[in-house]
């Protein structure tokens, strides 16, 4: 195949036909996870392929914003109050390790059957050429295997957690469902990840491949109300603990306390601050005229203007920081986040603090990062490393999986 520079589709060398793949992309109901998949969605669109997002209905608007077709699959199970309450109680009472085992070893396998059933129905009616599923979308993995579809897992940040729990918790929980569909033992598919593999994997899996990271174009535009005075000499600190932690009642209480400690620390520092707190925003009164509390902002755009990012340490947020060359203060909450915090601190990209840190400890850490140019220099180096990664070529993925078939399709 060779790239057509005008249409951005592909030309089959044998037939001369312009080819567009039908690509099914799947997501699970975590609020930020469609954004976490933009590094596969945007290249697929730019390469002229037809994309359908198969996801719970909570993501219908996200599909529309990206200009892709939407097909409902699975349920909004993370929005269930009982699920949120149970997960929060486990996290607060038994710690992060037991929380991970419950969420990824119990909840996710339990939800796989409904997702697989919906996808089997949809993909039997309209068979895609390639499935790109979140690495944690266990139902999509099964459906693709049953139908013999080429499958690529997109690392959404949870890859290291899944690998850690796969043999002990996840695969055993999935085995009865796989037997129901007469399939072999569950195996985590080969993955692409939008960062150098060694950044987040202590022992890099042989199947993971690093590709260049992109974000949706609308997330790169800074709203007018965020423009600062050109004469302002104060550093800008951006604070966000993501979407999931603020949406879960029990976790929200703990995270709300962390926000308050951070804002109290910021009020004693000569800086401007924007605090993005999702549903908690209405319960967080500003502690000073230089601190603005909002529900949401286009994070990648804002981080290109910020001097420090105080974050929960989700994979996508940390990579937004790298691409904005913004040093971080990471206060990991759950899943992969504490590990990510330690990894970035070791690389000199910022500092890590416990979620229960006091305002005095937070103020000291903020002041230290803002006053140390080496953190920003390390971020610039990391951004250069990120930008050198190869772009994701979907035709190459399909060729390695045995596509195209003997007869291609003309690009629409």
């Amino acid at each position: 195949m060779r790239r057509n520079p005008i249409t951005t589709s592909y030309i089959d060398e044998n037939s001369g036909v312009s080819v567009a793949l039908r690509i099914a992309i799947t997501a699970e109901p975590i609020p930020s996870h469609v954004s976490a998949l933009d590094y596969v969605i945007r290249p697929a669109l730019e390469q002229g392929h037809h994309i359908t997002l198969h996801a719970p209905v909570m993501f219908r608007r996200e599909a529309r914003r990206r200009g892709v077709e939407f097909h409902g699959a699975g349920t909004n199970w993370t929005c269930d109050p009982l699920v949120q309450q149970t997960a929060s109680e486990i996290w607060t009472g038994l710690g992060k390790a037991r929380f991970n085992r419950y969420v990824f070893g119990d909840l996710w396998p339990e939800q796989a059957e409904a997702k697989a059933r919906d996808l089997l129905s949809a993909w039997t009616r309209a068979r895609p050429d390639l499935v790109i599923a979140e690495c944690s979308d266990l139902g999509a993995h099964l459906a693709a295997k049953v139908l013999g579809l080429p499958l690529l897992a997109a690392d959404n940040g949870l890859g290291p957690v899944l690998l850690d729990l796969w043999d002990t918790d996840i695969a055993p929980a999935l085995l009865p469902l796989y037997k129901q569909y007469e399939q072999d033992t569950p195996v985590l598919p080969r993955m692409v990840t939008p960062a150098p593999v060694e950044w987040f994997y202590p022992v890099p899996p042989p199947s993971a491949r690093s590709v260049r990271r992109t974000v949706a174009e609308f997330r790169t535009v800074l709203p007018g109300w965020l423009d600062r005075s050109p004469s302002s000499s104060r550093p800008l600190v951006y604070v966000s603990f993501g979407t999931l932690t603020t949406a879960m009642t029990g976790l929200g209480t703990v995270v709300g306390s962390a926000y308050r400690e951070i804002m109290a620390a910021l009020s004693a520092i000569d800086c401007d601050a924007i605090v993005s707190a999702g549903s908690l925003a209405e319960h967080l009164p500003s502690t000073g005229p230089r601190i603005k509390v909002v529900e949401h902002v286009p994070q990648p755009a804002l981080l290109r203007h910020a001097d420090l990012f105080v974050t929960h340490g989700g994979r996508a947020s940390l990579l937004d920081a790298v691409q904005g060359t913004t040093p971080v203060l990471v206060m990991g909450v759950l899943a992969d986040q504490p590990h990510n915090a330690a990894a970035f601190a070791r690389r000199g990209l910022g500092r890590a603090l416990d979620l229960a840190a006091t305002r005095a400890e937070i103020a000291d850490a903020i002041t230290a990062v803002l006053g140390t140019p080496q953190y920003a220099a390390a971020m610039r180096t990391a951004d250069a490393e990120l930008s050198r990664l190869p772009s994701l070529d979907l035709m190459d993925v399909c060729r390695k999986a045995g596509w195209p078939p003997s007869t291609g399709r003309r690009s629409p």
Side-chain angles (χ1 to χ4, degrees), residues 257 260-267 269 356-366:
S257 296
R260 292 182 183 90
E261 289 296 298
I262 294 166
M263 291 167 64
L266 289 169
S267 64
I269 299 172
T358 66
R359 64 190 63 181
E361 293 171 326
I362 296 168
D364 288 345
I366 290 174

Side-chain angles (χ1 to χ4, degrees), residues 2 20 35 50 90 94 99 101 117 187 196 214 304 387 406 409:
R2 70 177 187 273
S35 294
H50 178 78
I90 290 174
L94 300 176
F99 172 90
R101 290 183 62 196
R117 188 169 54 248
V187 176
T214 56
R304 296 188 182 278
S387 67
S406 57
R409 286 189 308 277

Side-chain angles (χ1 to χ4, degrees), residues 67-224:
V68 302
E69 186 177 332
F70 178 80
H71 195 293
T75 63
N76 296 336
W77 58 269
T78 59
C79 300
D80 184 332
L82 181 59
V83 168
Q84 293 186 359
Q85 179 184 349
T86 303
S88 296
E89 289 174 352
I90 290 174
W91 183 84
T92 54
L94 300 176
K96 302 180 188 73
R98 185 63 189 90
F99 172 90
N100 283 356
R101 290 183 62 196
Y102 169 66
V103 172
F104 303 109
D106 294 337
L107 280 181
W108 240 291
E110 284 178 5
Q111 299 298 322
E113 182 173 8
K115 187 68 169 289
R117 188 169 54 248
D118 289 346
L119 293 176
L120 285 168
S121 175
W123 294 343
T124 299
R125 292 194 305 270
R127 186 179 179 90
D129 300 308
L130 173 67
V131 173
I132 304 179
E134 278 194 286
C135 63
S136 54
D137 195 341
L138 308 176
H141 302 169
L142 174 58
K145 187 173 183 179
V146 170
L147 294 175
L149 298 172
L151 170 64
L152 186 66
D155 189 355
N156 53 19
L158 297 176
V161 178
L162 296 176
L163 286 171
D164 184 51
L165 296 174
W166 191 264
D167 291 334
T168 58
D169 294 82
I170 300 173
L174 285 172
L175 194 55
L177 179 60
Y178 269 60
K179 286 184 175 179
Q180 178 183 328
Y181 284 95
E182 301 180 344
Q183 298 300 312
D184 297 331
T185 302
V187 176
L188 193 62
R190 60 197 178 97
M191 287 191 289
V192 288
T193 186
V197 174
E198 62 274 11
W199 280 17
F200 297 100
Y201 290 86
V203 180
S207 65
R209 181 165 61 94
S210 298
V211 297
R212 188 173 304 160
R213 182 176 191 258
T214 56
V215 298
E217 189 170 357
F218 69 87
R219 300 184 68 229
T220 66
V221 179
L222 197 66

Side-chain angles (χ1 to χ4, degrees), residues 6-56:
I6 300 175
T7 65
T8 73
S9 59
Y10 286 76
I11 303 297
D12 187 293
E13 298 286 3
N14 297 320
S15 66
V17 174
S18 183
V19 176
L21 299 172
R22 289 182 300 208
I23 299 178
I25 296 180
T26 78
E28 286 287 80
I30 305 296
S32 62
H33 275 208
V34 172
S35 294
L37 294 174
D38 278 331
Y39 76 97
V40 294
I41 295 175
R42 186 167 179 178
L45 288 171
E46 290 174 347
Q47 291 168 24
H49 303 303
H50 178 78
I51 312 302
T52 301
L53 177 65
H54 296 263

Side-chain angles (χ1 to χ4, degrees), residues 225 259 263 273-278 280-288 290-297:
W225 64 265
Y259 269 118
M263 291 167 64
I274 296 173
V275 178
S276 175
L280 294 179
E282 61 180 313
H283 306 294
L284 294 173
S286 175
T287 54
R290 291 180 283 102
I291 300 175
K292 185 175 184 62
V293 182
V294 299
E295 288 190 15
H296 301 288
V297 295

